[in-house]
Amino acid sequence: MCGIVGLYIKRPELEANLGGMLSDMLMQMTERGPDSAGFAIYRNPVSPGQVKITLQSSDPDTDWEAIQTCVQAEIDRKATLSPVANHGILIARLDNKVDNEAETEALLNWVENNIPGIKITSIGYTIEIYKEKGSPDQVIRTFGLNLMAGTHALGHTRMATESAVTTEHSHPFSTGRDLCLVHNGSLSNHNNLREMLIGEGIRFTTDNDSEVAAGYLTWRLGQGATLNQALEAALEDLDGFYTFAIGSKDGFAVLRDPIACKPAILAETDDWVAMASEYRAIAQLPGSENATIWEPEPATIYSWERS
Amino acid sequence: MQEFDLQDSGVRDLNSALHQADAEGESFVVANPGGKHNVAAGAMFSCDVSVHGHVGYYCAGMNKNANITVNGNAGPGLAENMMSGKVRIKGNASQYCAATAHGGLLVVEGNAAARCGISMKGVDIVVRGSIGHMSAFMAQTGCLIVCGDAGDALGDSIYEARLYVRGSVKSLGTDCIEKPLDDEHKKEISYLLKQAAIDDVDVDEFKRYGSARELYHFKIDNVGAY
């Protein structure tokens, strides 16, 4: 069992409250997932020519300033690193003379190979991913989610059933630039799929089944599929139980497997669109009593995007 | 009349009141359920419970004798294993409502999601809207009336429950077939629609579905499959 929440703000004045609203939702999902929690928040887009990377450290006493100096020396351009507990938001200016993708890839490789104990949780222009072992309450307080502003966010509370309880096994999982996945359920063909995807050049850091779903979407998107096409293909290729919420730069999407035994509820008002494993998470939001509420159909993609 | 505001008090306070003998004949009004689980579960006495708002998992589970109305939607497992009494949902019900229920009447004024009436054992269910896939799976006895449509695999591996659907059925499950709608069946539909206070639906528009009885008797021809 796990809990999923997602919130997309339609009225810009409410963006300041995004973190607070998502915290209230996440707290309601504590019983569904008490062992770890995480969230992806879309905020503070970087300028064109910059890239934003979330770093996560296994060492609570990480010297983020030293890492910043290191990165600055390596890429010989402006880079800033803002720590948030044991995570750090690295914003690096890219040298626009060469291909941005290749340059970002080179930077990621350099970080992974040269800064010990550091993992990359997200890459993009607006996304930041924070995750940690512990109850949702602890995770919210550690990162100060309740005070964060942004346009949209996804959250996850984990009750591990398929693999170990560690930060790396926690959700959300990055699936590419500004993309992430949270999952409630369990996949039964993840070992075969992982082998296939490794053959296709997708990297995995854990034995987690949800990471395979994330890797699968990364692979499909990398082949040029749109998010909807990638999800359509996932319906064919992923075997098991799932409710997915997928965050993108401009919105989020929800997909349930054809059996649909993992719960999901969607709600919309003039001010926001929300998804959650259970209504009680949505009940925390202002205006929920007058929201349009429905249960997403099995094997059907629902998505919202900022135009 | 007893009032419970679930924003202030726990669900246990409400439910223990429903488990006491002096609940008999009493009226309960429940405010601000906020999607909480187990609202009005295990009621044992003849009483009226009126819930104002949406409820979470297992509302009205194991109900015996009580008349429970939810002015909102219900989460998964509504009226699971109900024994008797009446449960009415003004909105929609999530998956597996009235699962394994032995008796009583469940009325869903909106739609019911997947697995409605799964393994039903004597309950009567009336859905004003439509129902999701795998409904009435292994349904043993009782009656399911759907005024709208049914999803995939209706009545898969059904025993002797009686299914009536007014709209389309996306597909029938294994061993579930359409059967003729005779006067006795129309009488049953009329009676239950009346119980559900639905009076704008024409009984002749329903189709009846039930077991082909090919699956649950052992057949010597199938011995190789065991």
Side-chain angles (χ1 to χ4, degrees):
Chain A
M1 195 193 276
C2 291
I4 298 179
V5 297
L7 183 62
Y8 169 91
I9 301 290
K10 290 163 77 178
R11 192 156 62 90
E13 303 91 277
L14 278 176
E15 287 177 6
N17 303 344
L18 175 75
M21 290 160 80
L22 196 83
S23 300
D24 291 344
M25 295 177 81
L26 212 50
M27 284 300 295
Q28 289 293 319
M29 295 294 96
T30 300
E31 292 88 347
R32 296 190 69 91
D35 64 45
S36 359
F39 58 92
I41 188 159
Y42 293 81
R43 60 171 185 166
N44 309 334
V46 294
S47 315
Q50 290 184 322
V51 63
K52 175 154 75 169
I53 299 166
T54 312
L55 306 178
Q56 179 261 326
S57 169
S58 51
D59 175 9
D61 301 319
T62 301
D63 184 349
W64 292 102
E65 222 173 290
I67 296 176
Q68 176 175 282
T69 313
C70 251
V71 177
Q72 282 170 343
E74 168 60 23
I75 64 169
D76 192 27
R77 284 181 300 279
K78 204 175 169 224
T80 57
L81 184 48
S82 323
V84 184
N86 63 343
H87 286 48
I89 303 300
L90 173 67
I91 297 174
R93 191 154 51 80
L94 299 169
D95 181 356
N96 290 317
K97 287 175 207 145
V98 291
D99 174 34
N100 271 8
E101 285 291 331
E103 206 179 335
T104 304
E105 199 57 37
L107 175 60
L108 296 174
N109 283 335
W110 182 84
V111 168
E112 282 189 335
N113 295 328
N114 293 280
I115 310 178
I118 290 285
K119 295 244 159 46
I120 290 157
T121 62
S122 78
I123 309 145
Y125 299 100
T126 69
I127 194 173
E128 296 170 20
I129 291 181
Y130 300 89
K131 51 189 185 179
E132 193 48 279
K133 288 173 292 188
S135 69
D137 178 42
Q138 286 168 324
V139 173
I140 290 165
R141 276 188 286 123
T142 300
F143 299 113
L145 168 63
N146 52 325
L147 298 174
M148 289 183 183
T151 53
H152 54 294
L154 293 180
H156 187 268
T157 64
R158 180 163 186 248
M159 184 185 285
T161 58
E162 304 296 302
S163 54
V165 177
T166 73
T167 310
E168 292 76 35
H169 285 79
S170 311
H171 304 223
F173 288 102
S174 169
T175 59
R177 294 280 187 102
D178 284 312
L179 288 164
C180 71
L181 172 92
V182 291
H183 173 209
N184 170 203
S186 55
L187 300 178
S188 38
N189 64 340
H190 64 99
N191 284 330
N192 283 345
L193 264 183
R194 188 185 296 104
E195 275 179 35
M196 184 279 279
L197 291 167
I198 288 171
E200 294 286 333
I202 303 292
R203 286 183 297 179
F204 294 96
T205 54
T206 71
D207 56 348
N208 182 278
D209 60 327
S210 311
E211 191 188 11
V212 172
Y216 177 85
L217 294 179
T218 307
W219 173 61
R220 284 283 184 198
L221 294 161
Q223 289 186 320
T226 63
L227 182 55
N228 272 28
Q229 287 166 342
L231 291 173
E232 290 282 355
L235 279 168
E236 291 297 316
D237 291 337
L238 300 186
D239 186 14
F241 299 120
Y242 50 88
T243 293
F244 291 137
I246 300 100
S248 70
K249 188 162 162 261
D250 300 310
F252 71 77
V254 174
L255 177 65
R256 300 174 82 193
D257 70 71
I259 305 290
C261 66
K262 293 298 172 187
I265 187 113
L266 293 168
E268 182 163 13
T269 69
D270 290 341
D271 293 343
W272 45 258
V273 178
M275 83 80 57
S277 298
E278 295 181 35
Y279 174 73
R280 60 182 165 140
I282 291 168
Q284 310 307 310
L285 299 175
S288 59
E289 59 283 357
N290 298 316
T292 308
I293 296 167
W294 74 103
E295 186 172 313
E297 294 286 327
T300 306
I301 300 164
Y302 295 80
S303 58
W304 286 268
E305 276 199 354
R306 210 162 290 273
S307 48
Chain B
M1 188 176 77
Q2 294 187 35
E3 291 182 49
F4 288 84
D5 187 335
L6 296 187
Q7 207 154 42
D8 309 328
S9 63
V11 175
R12 273 171 198 265
D13 293 346
L14 164 70
N15 288 349
S16 17
L18 295 174
H19 303 164
Q20 307 300 322
D22 55 8
E24 183 76 29
E26 183 66 90
S27 290
F28 298 84
V29 175
V30 182
N32 297 313
K36 288 193 165 77
H37 297 180
N38 313 321
V39 171
M44 289 153 71
F45 300 95
S46 174
C47 59
D48 284 319
V49 182
S50 178
V51 182
H52 298 277
H54 307 307
V55 292
Y57 279 73
Y58 308 125
C59 174
M62 304 171 283
N63 182 46
K64 204 167 151 186
N65 297 319
N67 177 24
I68 299 170
T69 303
V70 176
N71 297 285
N73 302 323
L78 167 73
E80 190 171 49
N81 213 57
M82 172 156 71
M83 302 305 286
S84 64
K86 195 165 164 182
V87 174
R88 175 182 289 271
I89 300 298
K90 298 272 191 180
N92 301 321
S94 188
Q95 56 178 323
Y96 53 90
C97 65
T100 77
H102 290 248
L105 173 67
L106 168 65
V107 180
V108 179
E109 294 193 4
N111 300 320
R115 293 171 277 275
C116 169
I118 184 170
S119 195
M120 55 194 276
K121 294 179 172 68
V123 66
D124 292 318
I125 306 170
V126 179
V127 180
R128 184 77 175 85
S130 299
I131 58 173
H133 64 275
M134 288 302 274
S135 288
F137 175 62
M138 293 188 83
Q140 287 146 57
T141 182
C143 180
L144 168 63
I145 295 179
V146 183
C147 299
D149 305 328
D152 271 318
L154 175 71
D156 193 285
S157 308
I158 186 173
Y159 291 85
E160 290 305 305
R162 299 166 318 277
L163 315 180
Y164 303 103
V165 182
R166 180 158 155 258
S168 65
V169 174
K170 205 165 172 200
S171 67
L172 290 172
T174 303
D175 210 36
C176 184
I177 53 169
E178 188 180 336
K179 295 181 166 186
L181 188 75
D182 299 329
D183 284 345
E184 57 172 312
H185 307 118
K186 290 182 190 174
K187 227 166 117 182
E188 180 169 53
I189 299 171
S190 292
Y191 173 76
L192 285 171
L193 287 176
K194 202 171 165 198
Q195 295 291 303
I198 295 173
D199 56 11
D200 58 346
V201 169
D202 185 353
V203 171
D204 293 319
E205 291 173 3
F206 284 87
K207 284 181 176 168
R208 179 167 78 104
Y209 303 90
S211 178
R213 298 174 181 140
E214 292 292 317
L215 196 61
Y216 67 81
H217 292 302
F218 176 74
K219 284 206 166 103
I220 194 68
D221 297 343
N222 297 337
V223 73
Y226 295 95

